[in-house]
């Protein structure tokens, strides 16, 4: 792919260079957490590991996993490896109980964060010529501030719009000449709809070129829908608060998976049930070890995100390992009468069916002892609302498609256009009403 800028030389390292830098940084990180974070020292001692036992990259497998509840148990700063005076920024995300998961950054961490975001926005096509509208919520969420610093670093003109106030978003987009939209895919969908309502055609009346979407999953079908509605080229990027925020991985224009910044994050894929490390291309839970962070280094963090890793060189010239689109989270997976269903499988079916729009909601409940699923999906316009037989045949068609893909029966409920919830941040499309959910 000619004409595509690559932000930093590390993105084209050969495998040996990656391995060397990863090992050196891994050793340092393990030593750092052992000395500075009592939680890790204890965990390492439980399995009889000391920093000196890490001599090859494969030795990473000797280290214990870190999980979300370790944050809760060490709330708020117990996992930090830096003193409070060296922390220049906090962020937080929702935790497993009422308390948030707190993360912190030193000045050097902030520097690294901007640099990694600069790589990601560059691979997505953004340059200093662009005007980037950040429509993630500014605040404790890592999304907005994370993207912000990296976009400034590449020289883009940043509009720190935050999420919500959608009509104003569209007005600013038009008046400021926004060329890159930074948001969740679900908010981008909602914004396109509001633009239409305002009498603005997002495709022809606005100058948007790029969509940089992240913070939640979306299917290829949703990408196509967004590209079509906005007339853009969109990429997605991935991250999570505990690891840094956005900046862990991003797609380049070749769209062959998300390049992981692997000189800073060592990825592994494990079988979520057994913890066994899986090979290239095998699908399982992503586990990440951060190897350059000062304030909050994390060892073998179980992300719960389901994906696979691919090492062959990309068409864009980058050599960093790529992770495939997240299929779902192991805790989002619905188990319906013993059958595993990812919401993304349902989304793919719905978005590839004519006559219905991209807005849907999945409800799961018990009828007697049986798990039942109901999919509410909006009609694309009002034209079918009065025709019972047409509605019936459309919902039958969707039910059949879902049965083929999921292997189970579902109830399909066609609802009027604009009757389901819209989202300004991360979408919540599944409502599980079974006991204990
Ligand atoms: O969502 C960080 C982020 C912000 C990434 C903006 C990209 C852009 P958390 O709020 O901690 O952090 O949520 C992390 O969101 O474990 C995934 O389940 C999900 N997620 C994030 N990006 C993607 C993506 C931010 N591209 C959780 N595809 C992660 C699928 C994603 N899921």
């Amino acid at each position: 792919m000619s004409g595509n800028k690559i932000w930093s030389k590390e993105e084209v390292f050969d495998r040996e260079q990656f391995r060397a830098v990863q090992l050196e940084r891994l050793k340092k990180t393990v030593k750092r957490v052992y000395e500075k974070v009592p939680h890790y020292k204890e965990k390492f001692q439980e399995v009889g590991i000391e920093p000196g036992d890490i001599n090859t990259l494969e030795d990473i497998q000797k280290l214990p996993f870190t999980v979300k509840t370790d944050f809760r148990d060490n709330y708020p700063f117990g996992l930090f490896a830096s003193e409070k005076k060296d922390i220049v920024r906090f962020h937080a995300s929702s935790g497993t109980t009422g308390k948030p998961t707190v993360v912190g950054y030193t000045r050097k961490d902030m520097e690294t964060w901007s640099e990694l975001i600069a790589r990601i926005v560059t691979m997505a096509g953004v340059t200093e010529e662009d005007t980037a509208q950040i429509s993630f919520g500014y605040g404790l969420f890592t999304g907005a501030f994370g993207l912000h610093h990296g976009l400034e670093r590449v020289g883009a003109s940043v509009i720190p719009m935050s999420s919500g106030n959608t009509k104003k978003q569209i007005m600013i987009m038009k008046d400021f000449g926004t060329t890159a939209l930074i948001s969740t895919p679900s908010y981008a969908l909602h914004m396109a709809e509001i633009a239409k309502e305002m009498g603005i055609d997002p495709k022809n009346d606005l100058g948007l070129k790029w969509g940089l979407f992240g913070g939640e999953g979306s299917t290829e079908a949703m990408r196509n829908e967004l590209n079509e509605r906005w007339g853009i080229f969109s990429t997605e990027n991935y991250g999570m608060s505990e690891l840094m925020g956005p900046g862990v991985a991003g797609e380049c224009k070749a769209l062959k998976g998300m390049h992981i910044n692997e000189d800073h994050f060592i990825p592994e894929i494990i079988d979520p049930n057994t913890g066994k490390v899986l090979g290239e291309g095998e699908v399982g839970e992503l586990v990440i070890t951060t190897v350059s962070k000062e304030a909050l280094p994390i060892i073998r963090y179980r992300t719960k995100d389901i994906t696979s890793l691919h090492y062959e060189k990309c068409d864009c010239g980058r050599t960093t390992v790529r992770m495939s689109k997240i299929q779902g989270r192991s805790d989002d997976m619905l188990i319906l009468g013993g059958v595993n269903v990812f919401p993304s499988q349902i989304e793919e079916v719905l978005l590839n069916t004519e006559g219905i729009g991209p807005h849907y909601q999945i409800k799961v409940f018990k009828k007697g002892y049986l798990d039942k699923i109901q999919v509410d999906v909006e009609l694309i316009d009002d034209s079918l609302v009065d025709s019972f037989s047409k509605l019936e045949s459309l919902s039958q068609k969707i039910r059949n498609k879902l049965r083929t893909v999921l292997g189970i029966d579902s109830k399909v409920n066609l609802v009027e256009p604009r009757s389901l919830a819209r989202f300004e941040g991360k979408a919540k499309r599944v409502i599980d009403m079974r006991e204990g959910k």
Side-chain angles (χ1 to χ4, degrees):
M1 279 203 170
S2 60
N4 268 344
K5 186 170 169 179
I6 294 182
W7 184 259
S8 61
K9 64 178 190 319
E10 288 83 358
E11 294 172 86
V12 294
F13 267 4
D14 62 35
R15 196 49 32 206
E16 282 320 301
Q17 286 173 300
F18 277 126
R19 288 180 64 85
V21 73
Q22 284 179 334
L23 180 59
E24 183 210 320
R25 290 179 173 181
L26 175 66
K27 284 182 177 174
K28 266 199 200 150
T29 300
V30 169
K31 187 165 180 289
R32 182 174 177 84
V33 297
Y34 189 83
E35 288 169 359
K36 305 221 181 245
V37 187
H39 165 85
Y40 282 111
K41 187 166 188 173
E42 250 168 58
K43 288 270 168 194
F44 289 4
Q45 283 173 341
E46 274 170 25
V47 294
I49 282 281
E50 285 189 0
D53 298 328
I54 303 299
N55 298 306
T56 68
L57 267 184
E58 286 62 38
D59 287 338
I60 198 171
Q61 295 182 21
K62 297 179 181 164
L63 296 167
F65 294 119
T66 305
V67 293
K68 179 105 174 170
T69 47
D70 292 326
F71 278 84
R72 181 192 64 195
D73 298 342
N74 291 283
Y75 177 83
F77 310 135
L79 292 181
F80 284 24
S82 296
E83 288 176 48
K84 187 108 174 273
K85 72 171 174 48
D86 295 323
I87 305 291
V88 299
R89 174 76 67 78
F90 291 115
H91 279 285
S93 69
S94 54
T96 47
T97 56
K99 296 285 190 191
T101 299
V102 182
V103 300
Y105 306 77
T106 62
R107 201 170 295 286
K108 178 165 165 262
D109 291 334
M110 291 303 298
E111 182 65 22
T112 309
W113 199 8
S114 313
E115 187 64 16
L116 298 189
I117 295 287
R119 290 185 190 177
I120 277 163
V121 302
T122 302
M123 70 178 89
V126 174
T127 68
E128 61 187 5
E129 305 288 337
D130 283 293
T131 301
Q133 183 160 333
I134 301 185
S135 303
F136 283 127
Y138 278 76
L140 287 175
F141 178 51
T142 53
F145 279 103
L147 266 308
H148 185 118
H149 298 296
L151 283 159
E152 273 190 5
R153 200 175 188 94
V154 304
S157 316
V158 176
I159 310 173
M161 189 71 209
S162 210
S163 64
N165 212 344
T166 310
K167 286 193 173 145
K168 189 166 172 194
Q169 300 257 4
I170 304 299
M171 180 189 83
I172 297 264
M173 191 176 265
K174 190 161 193 277
D175 296 348
F176 288 23
T178 302
T179 54
L181 172 63
I182 323 294
S183 70
T184 57
S186 48
Y187 191 38
L189 188 62
H190 179 43
M191 285 170 83
E193 231 172 27
I194 297 289
K196 271 254 156 81
E197 274 177 28
M198 292 165 70
I200 293 173
D201 175 1
K203 198 168 179 172
N204 298 310
D205 300 340
L206 298 170
L208 207 60
K209 275 164 64 184
W210 314 114
L212 275 65
F213 301 130
E216 65 180 6
S218 66
T219 54
E220 273 313 314
M222 182 66 87
R223 187 212 300 274
N224 295 337
E225 182 82 30
L226 287 168
N227 286 352
E228 179 50 35
R229 286 188 184 215
W230 283 104
I232 53 173
F233 185 90
S234 67
T235 51
E236 69 165 319
N237 59 87
Y238 169 86
M240 75 194 298
S241 322
E242 295 90 317
L243 301 175
M244 158 171 277
V248 175
E251 272 181 322
C252 67
K253 291 199 232 157
L255 302 181
K256 293 210 164 144
M258 293 179 274
H259 289 272
I260 299 180
N261 282 317
E262 59 173 320
D263 44 333
H264 296 265
F265 303 98
I266 302 182
E268 300 170 87
I269 298 291
I270 62 164
D271 177 326
N273 299 315
T274 63
K276 181 175 168 274
V277 176
L278 303 178
E280 172 165 8
E282 289 188 274
V283 175
E285 178 179 346
L286 178 69
V287 168
I288 296 263
T289 300
T290 70
V291 288
S292 64
K293 278 170 72 195
E294 288 185 337
L296 189 54
I298 295 288
I299 304 292
R300 301 193 86 200
Y301 192 65
R302 291 192 59 161
T303 64
K304 298 213 160 139
D305 293 317
I306 305 294
T307 180
S308 55
L309 298 177
H310 305 273
Y311 284 88
E312 74 278 17
K313 186 177 171 184
C314 183
D315 297 347
C316 71
R318 291 178 184 80
T319 50
T320 38
V321 61
R322 282 161 291 134
M323 57 187 261
S324 61
K325 201 175 247 316
I326 303 279
Q327 287 184 8
R329 289 177 55 80
S330 54
D331 51 4
D332 275 0
M333 190 176 74
L334 299 165
I335 304 182
L336 302 167
V339 178
N340 298 347
V341 171
F342 279 114
S344 59
Q345 295 175 291
I346 298 176
E347 179 174 302
E348 193 83 40
V349 167
L350 298 177
L351 270 81
N352 283 316
T353 305
E354 258 175 61
I356 51 174
H359 299 281
Y360 64 94
Q361 190 159 61
I362 301 166
K363 291 182 182 146
V364 185
F365 53 93
K366 279 255 187 232
K367 198 163 177 195
Y369 291 108
L370 297 179
D371 292 323
K372 292 280 174 195
I373 182 165
Q374 174 178 321
V375 179
D376 293 348
V377 59
E378 280 182 13
L379 291 162
I380 204 146
D381 55 41
D382 291 316
S383 61
L384 290 183
V385 170
D386 296 327
S387 163
F388 182 77
S389 63
K390 281 188 187 154
L391 283 179
E392 200 39 41
S393 92
L394 180 55
S395 68
Q396 186 60 42
K397 185 169 145 197
I398 301 169
R399 209 175 305 141
N400 290 343
K401 280 196 188 182
L402 287 172
R403 190 182 305 113
T404 309
V405 173
L406 310 177
I408 53 165
D409 268 319
S410 42
K411 182 167 190 290
V412 172
N413 197 18
L414 296 171
V415 301
E416 284 180 26
R418 301 210 43 79
S419 59
L420 295 176
R422 299 295 190 261
F423 303 96
E424 294 178 347
K426 300 191 188 212
K428 179 157 174 42
R429 293 209 173 87
V430 178
I431 303 177
D432 199 333
M433 294 173 280
R434 292 173 296 179
E435 222 165 281
K437 298 282 169 179

